[in-house]
Coordinates of all heavy atoms in Angstrom, one line a residue:
M1 N 0.8 -1.2 0.0 CA 0.0 0.0 0.0 C 0.9 1.2 0.0 O 0.6 2.2 -0.7 CB -0.9 0.0 1.2 CG -1.9 1.1 1.3 SD -3.0 1.1 0.0 CE -3.8 2.7 0.2
K2 N 1.9 1.2 0.9 CA 2.8 2.4 0.9 C 3.6 2.6 -0.4 O 3.9 3.7 -0.8 CB 3.7 2.3 2.1 CG 3.0 2.6 3.4 CD 4.0 2.9 4.5 CE 3.3 3.4 5.7 NZ 4.2 3.9 6.7
R3 N 4.0 1.4 -0.9 CA 4.7 1.5 -2.2 C 3.9 2.1 -3.3 O 4.4 2.9 -4.1 CB 5.2 0.1 -2.6 CG 6.3 -0.4 -1.9 CD 6.8 -1.7 -2.4 NE 8.0 -2.1 -1.7 CZ 8.9 -2.9 -2.1 NH1 8.8 -3.4 -3.3 NH2 9.9 -3.3 -1.4
A4 N 2.6 1.7 -3.3 CA 1.7 2.3 -4.3 C 1.5 3.8 -4.1 O 1.5 4.6 -5.1 CB 0.3 1.6 -4.3
L5 N 1.4 4.2 -2.8 CA 1.3 5.6 -2.5 C 2.5 6.4 -2.9 O 2.4 7.5 -3.5 CB 1.0 5.8 -1.0 CG 0.8 7.2 -0.5 CD1 -0.5 7.8 -1.1 CD2 0.7 7.3 1.0
W6 N 3.7 5.8 -2.6 CA 5.0 6.5 -3.0 C 5.1 6.6 -4.6 O 5.6 7.6 -5.1 CB 6.2 5.8 -2.5 CG 6.4 6.2 -1.0 CD1 6.2 5.4 0.1 CD2 6.9 7.5 -0.6 NE1 6.5 6.2 1.2 CE2 6.9 7.4 0.8 CE3 7.2 8.7 -1.2 CZ2 7.3 8.5 1.6 CZ3 7.6 9.7 -0.4 CH2 7.6 9.7 0.9
A7 N 4.6 5.5 -5.3 CA 4.6 5.5 -6.7 C 3.7 6.6 -7.3 O 4.1 7.4 -8.2 CB 4.2 4.2 -7.3
V8 N 2.5 6.8 -6.7 CA 1.6 7.9 -7.1 C 2.3 9.2 -6.8 O 2.2 10.1 -7.7 CB 0.3 7.7 -6.4 CG1 -0.6 9.0 -6.6 CG2 -0.5 6.5 -6.9
I9 N 2.9 9.4 -5.7 CA 3.5 10.7 -5.3 C 4.7 11.0 -6.3 O 4.8 12.1 -6.8 CB 4.0 10.6 -3.9 CG1 2.9 10.7 -2.9 CG2 5.0 11.8 -3.6 CD1 3.3 10.4 -1.5
L10 N 5.5 10.0 -6.6 CA 6.6 10.2 -7.6 C 6.1 10.5 -9.0 O 6.6 11.4 -9.6 CB 7.5 9.0 -7.6 CG 8.4 8.8 -6.3 CD1 9.2 7.5 -6.4 CD2 9.3 10.0 -6.1
V11 N 5.1 9.8 -9.4 CA 4.5 10.1 -10.7 C 3.9 11.5 -10.8 O 4.1 12.3 -11.7 CB 3.4 9.0 -11.1 CG1 2.6 9.5 -12.3 CG2 4.1 7.7 -11.4
A12 N 3.2 11.9 -9.7 CA 2.6 13.2 -9.6 C 3.7 14.3 -9.6 O 3.6 15.3 -10.2 CB 1.7 13.3 -8.4
L13 N 4.8 14.0 -8.8 CA 5.9 15.0 -8.8 C 6.5 15.1 -10.2 O 6.9 16.2 -10.6 CB 6.9 14.6 -7.7 CG 6.7 15.1 -6.3 CD1 7.8 14.5 -5.4 CD2 6.7 16.6 -6.3
G14 N 6.7 14.0 -10.8 CA 7.3 14.0 -12.2 C 6.4 14.8 -13.1 O 6.9 15.6 -13.9
A15 N 5.1 14.6 -13.0 CA 4.2 15.3 -13.9 C 4.2 16.8 -13.6 O 4.1 17.7 -14.5 CB 2.8 14.8 -13.8
A16 N 4.3 17.1 -12.3 CA 4.4 18.5 -11.9 C 5.6 19.2 -12.4 O 5.6 20.3 -12.8 CB 4.2 18.7 -10.4
L17 N 6.8 18.5 -12.2 CA 8.0 19.1 -12.6 C 8.1 19.2 -14.1 O 8.8 20.0 -14.7 CB 9.2 18.2 -12.1 CG 9.3 18.3 -10.5 CD1 10.5 17.4 -10.1 CD2 9.6 19.7 -10.1
A18 N 7.4 18.3 -14.8 CA 7.4 18.4 -16.3 C 6.4 19.5 -16.8 O 6.4 19.7 -18.0 CB 7.0 17.0 -16.9
G19 N 5.7 20.0 -15.9 CA 4.8 21.1 -16.3 C 3.4 20.7 -16.7 O 2.7 21.5 -17.3
R20 N 3.1 19.4 -16.6 CA 1.8 18.9 -17.0 C 0.7 19.3 -16.1 O -0.5 19.5 -16.5 CB 1.8 17.4 -17.2 CG 2.7 17.0 -18.3 CD 2.7 15.5 -18.6 NE 3.6 15.2 -19.6 CZ 3.2 14.8 -20.8 NH1 1.9 14.8 -21.1 NH2 4.1 14.5 -21.7
I21 N 1.0 19.3 -14.7 CA 0.0 19.8 -13.7 C 0.7 20.8 -12.8 O 1.9 20.8 -12.7 CB -0.5 18.6 -12.9 CG1 0.6 17.9 -12.2 CG2 -1.4 17.6 -13.7 CD1 0.1 16.8 -11.2
P22 N -0.1 21.7 -12.2 CA 0.5 22.6 -11.3 C 1.1 21.9 -10.1 O 0.6 20.9 -9.6 CB -0.7 23.5 -10.8 CG -1.8 23.3 -11.8 CD -1.6 21.9 -12.4
L23 N 2.2 22.4 -9.6 CA 2.9 21.8 -8.5 C 2.1 21.9 -7.2 O 2.2 21.0 -6.3 CB 4.2 22.6 -8.3 CG 5.2 22.0 -7.2 CD1 5.6 20.6 -7.7 CD2 6.4 22.8 -7.1
E24 N 1.2 22.9 -7.1 CA 0.3 23.0 -5.9 C -0.6 21.7 -5.8 O -1.0 21.4 -4.6 CB -0.5 24.2 -5.9 CG 0.3 25.5 -5.8 CD 0.9 26.0 -7.2 OE1 0.4 25.4 -8.2 OE2 1.7 26.9 -7.2
W25 N -1.0 21.1 -6.9 CA -1.9 20.0 -6.8 C -1.2 18.8 -6.1 O -1.8 17.9 -5.6 CB -2.3 19.6 -8.2 CG -3.2 20.6 -8.9 CD1 -3.6 21.8 -8.4 CD2 -4.0 20.3 -10.0 NE1 -4.4 22.4 -9.3 CE2 -4.7 21.5 -10.3 CE3 -4.1 19.3 -10.9 CZ2 -5.6 21.7 -11.4 CZ3 -4.9 19.4 -12.0 CH2 -5.7 20.6 -12.2
V26 N 0.1 18.8 -6.2 CA 0.9 17.7 -5.5 C 1.3 18.1 -4.1 O 1.1 17.3 -3.2 CB 2.1 17.4 -6.3 CG1 2.9 16.3 -5.7 CG2 1.8 17.0 -7.8
L27 N 1.7 19.3 -3.9 CA 2.2 19.7 -2.6 C 1.1 19.9 -1.6 O 1.3 19.6 -0.4 CB 3.0 21.0 -2.7 CG 4.3 20.9 -3.5 CD1 5.1 22.2 -3.5 CD2 5.2 19.8 -3.0
A28 N -0.1 20.4 -2.0 CA -1.2 20.7 -1.1 C -1.7 19.4 -0.4 O -1.8 19.3 0.8 CB -2.3 21.4 -1.8
P29 N -1.9 18.3 -1.1 CA -2.3 17.0 -0.5 C -1.2 16.5 0.4 O -1.5 16.0 1.5 CB -2.6 16.0 -1.6 CG -2.9 16.9 -2.8 CD -2.1 18.1 -2.6
L30 N 0.1 16.6 0.0 CA 1.2 16.2 0.9 C 1.2 17.0 2.2 O 1.5 16.4 3.2 CB 2.5 16.3 0.1 CG 2.7 15.3 -1.0 CD1 4.0 15.5 -1.7 CD2 2.6 13.8 -0.5
L31 N 1.0 18.3 2.1 CA 1.0 19.1 3.3 C -0.2 18.7 4.2 O 0.0 18.6 5.4 CB 0.9 20.6 2.9 CG 1.0 21.6 4.0 CD1 2.3 21.5 4.8 CD2 0.7 23.0 3.5
G32 N -1.3 18.4 3.6 CA -2.5 18.0 4.3 C -2.2 16.7 5.1 O -2.5 16.5 6.2
V33 N -1.5 15.7 4.4 CA -1.2 14.4 5.0 C -0.2 14.7 6.2 O -0.3 14.1 7.2 CB -0.6 13.5 4.0 CG1 0.0 12.3 4.6 CG2 -1.7 13.0 3.0
A34 N 0.8 15.6 6.0 CA 1.8 15.9 7.0 C 1.1 16.5 8.2 O 1.4 16.1 9.4 CB 2.8 16.8 6.5
I35 N 0.2 17.4 8.0 CA -0.5 18.0 9.1 C -1.4 17.0 9.9 O -1.4 16.9 11.1 CB -1.4 19.2 8.6 CG1 -0.5 20.4 8.2 CG2 -2.3 19.7 9.7 CD1 -1.2 21.5 7.5
W36 N -2.1 16.1 9.1 CA -2.9 15.1 9.7 C -2.0 14.1 10.5 O -2.4 13.8 11.7 CB -3.6 14.3 8.6 CG -4.3 13.1 9.1 CD1 -3.9 11.8 9.1 CD2 -5.6 13.1 9.6 NE1 -4.8 11.0 9.6 CE2 -5.9 11.7 10.0 CE3 -6.6 14.0 9.9 CZ2 -7.1 11.3 10.6 CZ3 -7.8 13.6 10.5 CH2 -8.0 12.3 10.8
S37 N -0.8 13.8 10.0 CA 0.0 12.9 10.8 C 0.5 13.5 12.1 O 0.6 12.8 13.1 CB 1.3 12.5 9.9 OG 0.9 11.9 8.7
V38 N 0.9 14.8 12.0 CA 1.3 15.4 13.3 C 0.2 15.5 14.3 O 0.4 15.2 15.5 CB 1.9 16.8 12.9 CG1 2.0 17.6 14.2 CG2 3.2 16.7 12.2
G39 N -1.0 15.8 13.8 CA -2.2 15.8 14.7 C -2.5 14.5 15.4 O -2.7 14.4 16.6
V40 N -2.5 13.4 14.6 CA -2.7 12.1 15.1 C -1.6 11.6 16.0 O -1.9 11.0 17.1 CB -2.9 11.1 13.9 CG1 -2.9 9.6 14.4 CG2 -4.2 11.3 13.2
A41 N -0.4 12.0 15.7 CA 0.7 11.6 16.6 C 0.6 12.3 17.9 O 0.9 11.8 19.0 CB 2.1 11.9 15.9
S42 N 0.2 13.6 17.9 CA 0.1 14.3 19.2 C -1.0 13.8 20.0 O -0.9 13.7 21.3 CB 0.0 15.8 19.0 OG -1.1 16.1 18.1
L43 N -2.1 13.4 19.4 CA -3.2 12.8 20.2 C -2.8 11.5 20.7 O -3.1 11.1 21.8 CB -4.4 12.7 19.3 CG -5.2 14.0 18.9 CD1 -6.3 13.7 18.0 CD2 -5.6 14.6 20.2
G44 N -2.0 10.7 20.0 CA -1.5 9.4 20.5 C -0.6 9.6 21.7 O -0.6 8.8 22.6
S45 N 0.2 10.7 21.7 CA 1.1 10.9 22.8 C 0.3 11.2 24.1 O 0.7 10.9 25.2 CB 2.1 12.0 22.5 OG 1.5 13.2 22.5
L46 N -0.8 11.9 23.9 CA -1.7 12.2 25.0 C -2.3 10.9 25.6 O -2.4 10.7 26.8 CB -2.9 13.1 24.6 CG -2.5 14.6 24.3 CD1 -3.7 15.3 23.8 CD2 -1.9 15.2 25.6
R47 N -2.6 10.0 24.7 CA -3.2 8.7 25.2 C -2.1 7.9 25.9 O -2.4 7.2 26.9 CB -3.7 7.9 24.0 CG -4.4 6.7 24.4 CD -5.2 6.1 23.2 NE -5.9 4.9 23.6 CZ -5.5 3.7 23.2 NH1 -4.5 3.5 22.5 NH2 -6.2 2.7 23.7
R48 N -0.9 7.9 25.4 CA 0.2 7.1 26.1 C 0.5 7.7 27.4 O 1.0 7.0 28.3 CB 1.4 7.1 25.2 CG 1.3 6.1 24.1 CD 2.7 5.9 23.4 NE 3.1 7.2 22.8 CZ 2.7 7.6 21.6 NH1 1.9 6.9 20.9 NH2 3.2 8.7 21.1
G49 N 0.4 9.0 27.6 CA 0.7 9.7 28.9 C -0.4 9.4 30.0 O -0.2 9.7 31.1
G50 N -1.5 8.7 29.6 CA -2.5 8.4 30.6 C -2.4 7.0 31.2 O -3.4 6.4 31.5
D51 N -1.1 6.5 31.4 CA -1.0 5.2 32.0 C -1.4 5.2 33.5 O -1.4 4.1 34.1 CB 0.4 4.7 31.8 CG 1.5 5.6 32.4 OD1 1.1 6.7 32.8 OD2 2.6 5.2 32.5
H52 N -1.6 6.3 34.1 CA -2.0 6.4 35.5 C -3.5 6.1 35.6 O -4.0 5.9 36.7 CB -1.7 7.7 36.1 CG -2.4 8.9 35.5 ND1 -2.0 9.4 34.2 CD2 -3.5 9.5 35.8 CE1 -2.8 10.4 33.9 NE2 -3.7 10.5 34.8
I53 N -4.2 6.1 34.5 CA -5.6 5.9 34.5 C -5.9 4.4 34.8 O -5.4 3.6 34.0 CB -6.3 6.4 33.2 CG1 -6.1 7.9 33.0 CG2 -7.8 6.0 33.2 CD1 -6.5 8.4 31.7
P54 N -6.7 4.1 35.8 CA -6.8 2.6 36.1 C -7.6 1.9 34.9 O -8.5 2.5 34.3 CB -7.6 2.6 37.4 CG -8.2 4.0 37.5 CD -7.4 4.9 36.7
D55 N -7.3 0.7 34.7 CA -7.9 -0.1 33.7 C -9.0 -1.0 34.2 O -9.5 -1.9 33.6 CB -6.9 -0.9 32.8 CG -6.0 -1.7 33.7 OD1 -6.1 -1.6 34.9 OD2 -5.2 -2.4 33.1
G56 N -9.2 -1.0 35.5 CA -10.2 -1.8 36.2 C -10.7 -1.2 37.5 O -10.2 -0.1 37.8
P57 N -11.5 -1.9 38.2 CA -12.0 -1.3 39.5 C -10.8 -1.3 40.5 O -9.9 -2.2 40.4 CB -13.1 -2.2 39.9 CG -12.9 -3.5 39.1 CD -12.2 -3.1 37.9
P58 N -10.8 -0.4 41.5 CA -9.8 -0.4 42.5 C -9.9 -1.7 43.3 O -10.9 -2.3 43.6 CB -10.1 0.8 43.3 CG -11.3 1.4 42.8 CD -11.8 0.6 41.6
T59 N -8.7 -2.2 43.7 CA -8.6 -3.4 44.5 C -8.0 -3.1 45.9 O -7.0 -2.5 46.0 CB -7.7 -4.5 43.8 OG1 -6.4 -3.9 43.6 CG2 -8.3 -4.9 42.5
P60 N -8.7 -3.6 46.9 CA -8.1 -3.3 48.3 C -6.8 -4.1 48.5 O -6.7 -5.2 48.0 CB -9.2 -3.8 49.2 CG -10.1 -4.6 48.4 CD -9.9 -4.2 47.0
V61 N -5.9 -3.5 49.2 CA -4.6 -4.2 49.5 C -4.8 -5.0 50.7 O -5.3 -4.6 51.7 CB -3.5 -3.1 49.7 CG1 -2.2 -3.8 50.1 CG2 -3.3 -2.3 48.5
E62 N -4.4 -6.3 50.6 CA -4.6 -7.2 51.7 C -3.5 -7.0 52.7 O -2.3 -7.0 52.4 CB -4.5 -8.7 51.2 CG -5.6 -9.1 50.2 CD -7.0 -9.0 50.8 OE1 -7.1 -9.2 52.0 OE2 -7.9 -8.6 50.1
P63 N -3.8 -6.8 54.0 CA -2.8 -6.5 55.0 C -1.9 -7.7 55.3 O -0.8 -7.6 55.8 CB -3.6 -6.0 56.2 CG -5.0 -6.4 56.0 CD -5.2 -6.6 54.5
E64 N -2.4 -8.9 55.0 CA -1.6 -10.1 55.3 C -0.4 -10.2 54.3 O 0.6 -10.8 54.7 CB -2.4 -11.4 55.1 CG -3.6 -11.5 56.0 CD -4.8 -10.8 55.6 OE1 -5.0 -10.6 54.4 OE2 -5.7 -10.4 56.4
D65 N -0.5 -9.6 53.2 CA 0.6 -9.6 52.2 C 1.7 -8.5 52.6 O 2.7 -8.5 51.9 CB 0.1 -9.3 50.8 CG -0.9 -10.4 50.3 OD1 -0.9 -11.5 50.9 OD2 -1.7 -10.1 49.4
G66 N 1.4 -7.7 53.5 CA 2.4 -6.7 53.9 C 1.8 -5.3 53.7 O 0.8 -5.1 53.0
R67 N 2.5 -4.3 54.3 CA 2.1 -2.9 54.2 C 2.8 -2.3 53.0 O 4.0 -2.4 52.9 CB 2.5 -2.1 55.4 CG 1.5 -2.0 56.5 CD 2.0 -1.3 57.7 NE 3.1 -0.3 57.5 CZ 3.0 0.9 57.9 NH1 2.0 1.4 58.5 NH2 4.0 1.8 57.7
V68 N 2.0 -1.8 52.1 CA 2.6 -1.1 50.9 C 2.6 0.4 51.2 O 1.6 1.0 51.4 CB 1.8 -1.4 49.6 CG1 2.4 -0.7 48.4 CG2 1.8 -2.9 49.4
T69 N 3.8 1.0 51.1 CA 3.9 2.4 51.3 C 4.6 3.0 50.1 O 5.3 2.3 49.4 CB 4.7 2.8 52.6 OG1 6.0 2.2 52.5 CG2 4.0 2.2 53.8
Y70 N 4.4 4.3 49.9 CA 5.1 5.0 48.9 C 5.8 6.2 49.5 O 5.3 6.9 50.4 CB 4.1 5.6 47.9 CG 3.5 4.6 46.9 CD1 2.3 4.0 47.1 CD2 4.3 4.2 45.8 CE1 1.8 3.0 46.2 CE2 3.8 3.2 44.9 CZ 2.6 2.7 45.1 OH 2.1 1.7 44.3
L71 N 7.1 6.3 49.1 CA 8.0 7.3 49.7 C 8.4 8.3 48.7 O 8.8 7.9 47.5 CB 9.2 6.6 50.3 CG 10.2 7.4 51.1 CD1 9.6 7.9 52.4 CD2 11.5 6.7 51.3
C72 N 8.3 9.6 49.0 CA 8.8 10.7 48.1 C 10.2 11.0 48.4 O 10.6 11.3 49.6 CB 7.9 11.9 48.3 SG 8.5 13.3 47.4
S73 N 11.1 10.8 47.4 CA 12.5 11.1 47.6 C 12.8 12.6 47.7 O 13.8 13.0 48.1 CB 13.3 10.4 46.5 OG 12.9 10.9 45.3
G74 N 11.8 13.4 47.2 CA 12.0 14.9 47.2 C 11.8 15.5 48.6 O 12.7 16.2 49.1
C75 N 10.7 15.2 49.3 CA 10.4 15.8 50.6 C 10.3 14.8 51.7 O 10.2 15.2 52.9 CB 9.1 16.6 50.4 SG 7.6 15.6 50.3
G76 N 10.3 13.5 51.4 CA 10.3 12.6 52.5 C 8.9 12.2 52.9 O 8.8 11.4 53.9
A77 N 7.9 12.6 52.2 CA 6.5 12.2 52.6 C 6.3 10.8 52.3 O 6.9 10.2 51.4 CB 5.5 13.0 51.7
E78 N 5.5 10.1 53.2 CA 5.3 8.7 53.0 C 3.8 8.5 53.1 O 3.1 9.1 53.9 CB 5.9 7.9 54.2 CG 5.9 6.4 53.9 CD 6.8 5.7 55.0 OE1 7.4 6.4 55.8 OE2 6.9 4.5 54.9
M79 N 3.3 7.6 52.2 CA 1.9 7.3 52.1 C 1.6 5.8 52.3 O 2.4 5.0 51.8 CB 1.3 7.6 50.7 CG 1.3 9.1 50.3 SD 0.7 9.4 48.7 CE -0.4 8.1 48.4
L80 N 0.6 5.5 53.0 CA 0.2 4.1 53.1 C -0.9 3.7 52.1 O -1.9 4.5 52.0 CB -0.3 3.8 54.6 CG -0.9 2.5 54.8 CD1 0.1 1.4 54.7 CD2 -1.6 2.4 56.2
L81 N -0.7 2.7 51.3 CA -1.6 2.3 50.3 C -2.7 1.4 50.9 O -2.3 0.3 51.4 CB -0.9 1.6 49.1 CG -1.8 1.3 47.9 CD1 -2.2 2.5 47.2 CD2 -1.0 0.4 47.0
L82 N -3.9 1.8 50.8 CA -5.0 1.0 51.3 C -5.8 0.3 50.2 O -6.2 -0.8 50.3 CB -6.0 1.8 52.2 CG -5.4 2.4 53.4 CD1 -6.4 3.3 54.1 CD2 -4.8 1.3 54.3
V83 N -6.0 1.1 49.1 CA -6.7 0.6 47.9 C -5.9 0.9 46.7 O -5.5 2.1 46.5 CB -8.1 1.2 47.8 CG1 -8.8 0.7 46.5 CG2 -8.9 0.9 49.0
R84 N -5.6 -0.1 45.9 CA -4.8 0.2 44.7 C -5.7 0.4 43.5 O -6.5 -0.4 43.2 CB -3.9 -1.0 44.4 CG -2.9 -0.8 43.2 CD -2.1 -2.0 42.9 NE -1.1 -2.3 44.0 CZ 0.0 -1.7 44.2 NH1 0.4 -0.7 43.4 NH2 0.8 -2.0 45.2
G85 N -5.5 1.6 42.9 CA -6.3 2.0 41.7 C -5.6 1.6 40.4 O -6.2 1.1 39.5
S86 N -4.3 1.7 40.3 CA -3.5 1.3 39.1 C -2.1 0.9 39.6 O -1.7 1.1 40.7 CB -3.5 2.4 38.1 OG -2.6 3.5 38.6
A87 N -1.4 0.3 38.7 CA -0.1 -0.2 39.0 C 1.0 0.9 39.0 O 2.1 0.8 39.5 CB 0.4 -1.3 38.0
T88 N 0.6 2.1 38.4 CA 1.6 3.2 38.4 C 1.7 3.9 39.7 O 0.7 4.2 40.3 CB 1.1 4.2 37.3 OG1 0.9 3.5 36.1 CG2 2.1 5.3 37.1
P89 N 2.9 4.1 40.2 CA 3.0 4.8 41.5 C 2.6 6.2 41.4 O 2.7 6.9 40.3 CB 4.5 4.7 41.8 CG 5.2 4.3 40.5 CD 4.2 3.7 39.7
P90 N 2.0 6.8 42.5 CA 1.6 8.2 42.5 C 2.8 9.1 42.4 O 3.9 8.7 42.6 CB 0.8 8.3 43.8 CG 1.4 7.3 44.7 CD 1.8 6.1 43.8
R91 N 2.5 10.4 42.1 CA 3.6 11.4 42.0 C 3.5 12.3 43.2 O 2.4 12.6 43.8 CB 3.4 12.2 40.8 CG 3.7 11.4 39.5 CD 3.5 12.3 38.3 NE 4.1 11.7 37.1 CZ 5.3 12.0 36.7 NH1 6.0 12.8 37.4 NH2 5.8 11.4 35.7
H92 N 4.6 12.8 43.7 CA 4.7 13.8 44.7 C 6.0 14.6 44.4 O 7.0 14.1 44.0 CB 4.9 13.2 46.1 CG 4.4 14.1 47.2 ND1 5.3 14.8 47.9 CD2 3.2 14.5 47.6 CE1 4.7 15.6 48.8 NE2 3.4 15.4 48.6
C93 N 5.9 15.9 44.6 CA 7.0 16.8 44.2 C 7.4 16.7 42.8 O 8.6 16.9 42.4 CB 8.2 16.6 45.1 SG 7.9 17.0 46.9
G94 N 6.5 16.3 41.9 CA 6.7 16.2 40.5 C 7.4 15.0 40.1 O 7.7 14.8 38.9
E95 N 7.7 14.0 41.0 CA 8.4 12.8 40.6 C 7.6 11.6 41.1 O 6.7 11.7 42.0 CB 9.8 12.7 41.2 CG 10.7 13.8 40.8 CD 12.0 13.8 41.4 OE1 12.3 12.8 42.2 OE2 12.8 14.7 41.2
R96 N 7.8 10.5 40.5 CA 7.1 9.2 40.9 C 7.6 8.8 42.3 O 8.8 8.9 42.5 CB 7.3 8.1 39.9 CG 6.7 8.4 38.6 CD 6.5 7.1 37.8 NE 6.0 7.3 36.5 CZ 4.8 7.5 36.2 NH1 3.8 7.5 37.1 NH2 4.4 7.7 34.9
M97 N 6.7 8.4 43.1 CA 7.1 7.9 44.5 C 7.6 6.5 44.4 O 7.3 5.7 43.5 CB 5.9 8.0 45.4 CG 5.4 9.4 45.5 SD 4.0 9.5 46.6 CE 4.8 9.6 48.2
H98 N 8.5 6.1 45.3 CA 9.1 4.8 45.4 C 8.2 3.9 46.2 O 7.9 4.2 47.4 CB 10.5 4.9 45.9 CG 11.4 5.8 45.1 ND1 11.9 5.4 43.9 CD2 11.8 7.0 45.3 CE1 12.6 6.4 43.4 NE2 12.6 7.4 44.2
E99 N 7.9 2.7 45.7 CA 7.1 1.7 46.4 C 7.9 0.9 47.3 O 9.0 0.5 47.0 CB 6.3 0.8 45.4 CG 5.4 -0.2 46.1 CD 4.6 -1.0 45.1 OE1 4.4 -0.5 43.9 OE2 4.2 -2.1 45.4
R100 N 7.4 0.7 48.5 CA 8.1 -0.2 49.5 C 7.1 -1.1 50.1 O 6.0 -0.6 50.6 CB 8.8 0.7 50.5 CG 9.7 -0.1 51.4 CD 10.4 0.8 52.4 NE 9.5 1.4 53.3 CZ 9.9 2.3 54.2 NH1 11.1 2.7 54.3 NH2 9.0 2.8 55.0
T101 N 7.4 -2.4 50.2 CA 6.5 -3.3 50.8 C 7.1 -3.8 52.1 O 8.2 -4.3 52.1 CB 6.2 -4.5 49.9 OG1 5.6 -4.0 48.7 CG2 5.2 -5.5 50.5
E102 N 6.4 -3.6 53.2 CA 6.9 -4.1 54.5 C 6.2 -5.4 54.8 O 5.0 -5.5 55.0 CB 6.6 -3.1 55.6 CG 7.3 -1.7 55.4 CD 6.8 -0.7 56.4 OE1 6.0 -1.0 57.2 OE2 7.4 0.4 56.3
V103 N 7.0 -6.5 54.8 CA 6.4 -7.8 55.1 C 6.3 -8.0 56.6 O 7.2 -7.7 57.3 CB 7.3 -8.9 54.5 CG1 6.7 -10.3 54.8 CG2 7.5 -8.7 53.0
P104 N 5.1 -8.4 57.1 CA 5.0 -8.6 58.5 C 5.8 -9.7 59.1 O 6.0 -10.8 58.4 CB 3.5 -8.9 58.7 CG 3.0 -9.4 57.4 CD 3.9 -8.8 56.4
H105 N 6.4 -9.5 60.2 CA 7.3 -10.5 60.9 C 6.4 -11.5 61.6 O 5.6 -11.2 62.4 CB 8.2 -9.8 61.9 CG 9.2 -10.7 62.5 ND1 10.2 -11.4 61.8 CD2 9.2 -11.2 63.8 CE1 10.9 -12.1 62.7 NE2 10.3 -12.0 63.9
L106 N 6.6 -12.8 61.2 CA 5.8 -13.9 61.8 C 6.6 -14.6 62.8 O 7.7 -15.0 62.5 CB 5.3 -14.8 60.7 CG 4.4 -14.1 59.6 CD1 4.1 -15.1 58.5 CD2 3.1 -13.6 60.2
N107 N 6.1 -14.8 64.0 CA 6.8 -15.6 65.0 C 6.4 -17.0 65.0 O 5.4 -17.4 64.7 CB 6.5 -15.0 66.4 CG 7.1 -13.6 66.6 OD1 8.1 -13.3 66.0 ND2 6.5 -12.8 67.3
Ligands
ZN201 ZN1 7.3 15.2 48.0

C-alpha cells in the first residue's frame, strides 16, 4: 500500500516538474497528510501519557501480604496504600514515588 502511494507521489511529482499539472496539486495534499500525521501523533502521545488511569476497578490491598507504602524522595513524605487503583506509582514533588512493601514479621 505504501509502495503504491509512493509511486503515485513520484509520478505526480514528475508530472508537476514536467509542467503537465500545477505543483500545488501535488504539494497541497502532501502538506495535508503531514498536518494530519502530526495531529494524530500528538493525540497518540496524550493517550500514552494516561498510564495512571486505572484499567479496572480499584482493589483493596490485603494487610496479610504486607504494608505497601510510597515514599517521596524529594520531601520525604510517606503514604500508606489501602486501595490500589492502578499499578503506576503516584507522584509527589513532580516525581514518581518509590514503592516499598513491608512484610509482617511472623513468630
Ligand atoms: Zn514530595
Side-chain angles (χ1 to χ4, degrees):
M1 181 66 187
K2 284 196 170 190
R3 284 186 178 205
L5 182 66
W6 278 110
V8 168
I9 289 171
L10 288 178
V11 167
L13 271 177
L17 292 177
R20 294 184 181 254
I21 60 172
L23 188 60
E24 294 84 11
W25 289 12
V26 179
L27 295 184
L30 290 178
L31 182 62
V33 168
I35 292 172
W36 173 264
S37 302
V38 168
V40 167
S42 57
L43 288 178
S45 70
L46 289 176
R47 185 166 183 254
R48 282 188 299 277
D51 58 348
H52 63 281
I53 299 172
D55 53 355
T59 56
V61 177
E62 298 298 328
E64 296 85 26
D65 299 337
R67 266 173 32 121
V68 178
T69 60
Y70 284 99
L71 187 69
C72 175
S73 60
C75 69
E78 189 170 3
M79 291 177 33
L80 173 64
L81 184 69
L82 299 175
V83 177
R84 183 180 295 279
S86 71
T88 305
R91 291 179 164 268
H92 202 261
C93 295
E95 297 179 7
R96 292 200 189 277
M97 300 179 84
H98 300 284
E99 182 175 337
R100 186 176 68 184
T101 303
E102 298 174 358
V103 179
H105 180 69
L106 301 175
N107 291 330

